[in-house]
Amino acid sequence: MKLNFFKYQGTGNDFVILDNRNHEYDGLTNEQVKFLCDRRFGIGADGLMLLNSATDYDFEMKYYNSDGNTSTMCGNGGRCLVKFAFHRGITRTIYRFIAADGLHEAEIDMDGTVSLKMKDVNNIEELNHKDFLLDTGSPHYVKMVNDVMDYDVYQKGHDIRYSNKFAKQGVNVNFVEQKNDDEIIVRTYERGVEDETLSCGTGVTASALVNFHNEIGFNEVIVTTKGGKLSVEYDRHKDGNYSDIWLCGPADMVFAGCIEIN
Ligand SMILES: N[C@@H](CCC[C@H](N)C(=O)O)C(=O)O
C-alpha cells in the first residue's frame, strides 16, 4: 500500500499524520504504525495521528504511540493536528474536535502559535510533597527535582513507569525543576515511546498545574522543554480543581512524502 504522509512537530515532539477523512487508512495495523514511527526503518516519530471526519465536530483525532498502540490524549499531537487541519483547508476561528478524552477547542494565533484547551482536572493525588499523580487526558506522574538537566530521566522514568503501581496501565513520568514562581523546566519519560521525548504536552500541562503560583484564580506558567518553550494558562479554584486550561506553543510541518508499506 502507498501512503501519503505528513510529518509535524510541536516543541520537538514529532508525529506522522495521515489524512483519513475518506477512510483510506482505516485498516492500518499496529505493526504498520510501529514501522512508520521507526526512526531507522520508517519515517520516524514519537507518535502517529489520523485526521478522521466526525459528525458535529471539525474532525476526530486518533492517536497512536510509536510502539504501535492506540493511546489517550496527546497535547502536542493535538496542537499539530489543528495546524494540519488548517493546512488541509479546514479553517476555523475556533476549532472543535473530539479526541480520546473528549471535546477540545483550539485556536491558531496570527504568529502560528496553536493554543489547545485541555480537559478540566479535578483530582491531583499528592503522594508526598514532591511527587504527584494526575490525569490531563493521559496519566502523569510529576516529580519535583533539582538540576533536572543533569537528571537520569531514562533510568528514573523507566523505574517509576515499570513499578508495581503502574506496570499494567503505564504512566508518563515528568521530572520538573522550578526556576521561578511562574517558570519551570520539564523533562518527560513517555509511556508508549518508552524513552524520553523532547517535549510532552499533557506532561507539561500536568507539571504546570502542580506548580501554581496563585492559589486561587488565573495562573500562567512558562515551561522550558528540551524542544522549546510552551505556556500553560489556567484557573485554579478554592476546592483545588482546575478549569480553562490552555496549552500554547508552536506546531509546524516538517516535511511530507509518500511511503510504501506492506
Ligand atoms: N506526547 C504526548 C503524550 C502522548 C501520549 C502518551 N505517550 C501516553 O501514552 O500517555 C503529549 O504531548 O501529550
Side-chain angles (χ1 to χ4, degrees):
M1 165 168 71
K2 259 203 177 133
L3 192 142
N4 291 312
F5 71 86
F6 300 82
K7 172 86 186 274
Y8 276 66
Q9 62 84 19
T11 49
N13 203 188
D14 59 346
F15 310 98
V16 170
I17 304 184
L18 306 175
D19 188 342
N20 191 42
R21 283 175 294 169
N22 59 6
H23 300 283
E24 220 178 315
Y25 306 116
D26 275 354
L28 208 63
T29 65
N30 294 5
E31 271 313 303
Q32 288 170 327
V33 171
K34 190 174 173 185
F35 164 75
L36 291 169
C37 291
D38 191 291
R39 295 195 185 277
R40 293 188 176 80
F41 295 100
I43 302 160
D46 296 324
L48 180 144
M49 289 177 288
L50 296 181
L51 179 84
N52 287 335
S53 48
T55 327
D56 298 334
Y57 302 99
D58 295 323
F59 57 86
E60 182 200 45
M61 166 180 173
K62 182 158 184 193
Y63 185 76
Y64 297 82
N65 278 318
S66 61
D67 66 2
N69 295 314
T70 50
S71 194
T72 44
M73 182 57 186
C74 175
N76 286 326
R79 294 186 316 95
C80 286
L81 199 63
V82 169
K83 187 60 85 64
F84 177 67
F86 172 71
H87 289 155
R88 301 298 283 173
I90 305 175
T91 51
R92 303 280 187 272
T93 311
I94 298 185
Y95 289 83
R96 292 176 79 256
F97 69 91
I98 191 85
D101 62 340
L103 168 71
H104 287 269
E105 291 182 1
E107 288 173 15
I108 305 177
D109 297 347
M110 291 296 279
D111 66 355
T113 297
V114 182
S115 302
L116 174 68
K117 191 169 187 217
M118 309 298 285
K119 72 166 205 161
D120 291 353
V121 171
N122 298 326
N123 285 313
I124 297 191
E125 195 182 335
E126 190 168 343
L127 302 170
N128 58 60
H129 67 290
K130 283 192 185 310
D131 296 69
F132 306 84
L133 205 53
L134 63 157
D135 193 305
T136 51
S138 283
H140 283 277
Y141 192 108
V142 175
K143 188 175 189 61
M144 299 305 298
V145 299
N146 297 321
D147 303 321
V148 71
M149 284 328 233
D150 297 331
Y151 209 76
D152 189 350
V153 168
Y154 175 77
Q155 195 53 56
K156 304 276 187 200
H158 184 274
D159 290 350
I160 293 174
R161 188 255 182 267
Y162 285 98
S163 59
N164 286 342
K165 188 172 168 85
F166 305 112
K168 209 164 165 203
Q169 292 282 322
V171 73
N172 300 282
V173 190
N174 305 275
F175 300 96
V176 184
E177 180 181 338
Q178 179 156 29
K179 291 304 285 177
N180 289 304
D181 262 10
D182 57 355
E183 269 185 76
I184 55 176
I185 305 174
V186 180
R187 291 177 64 193
T188 307
Y189 176 100
E190 265 194 54
R191 170 181 79 165
V193 179
E194 304 312 333
D195 204 346
E196 181 181 7
T197 56
L198 293 185
S199 170
C200 172
T202 48
V204 159
T205 304
S207 306
L209 296 182
V210 165
N211 283 280
F212 57 87
H213 46 93
N214 290 322
E215 214 163 307
I216 299 171
F218 180 76
N219 281 265
E220 182 180 8
V221 181
I222 305 299
V223 185
T224 301
T225 69
K226 277 187 146 180
K229 278 192 197 306
L230 289 158
S231 74
V232 184
E233 296 173 7
Y234 55 88
D235 282 333
R236 188 172 194 276
H237 304 278
K238 64 170 183 285
D239 54 8
N241 292 340
Y242 297 79
S243 67
D244 285 305
I245 306 168
W246 288 83
L247 171 69
C248 319
D252 295 298
M253 186 172 114
V254 187
F255 59 87
C258 184
I259 187 168
E260 182 89 44
I261 58 167
N262 299 315

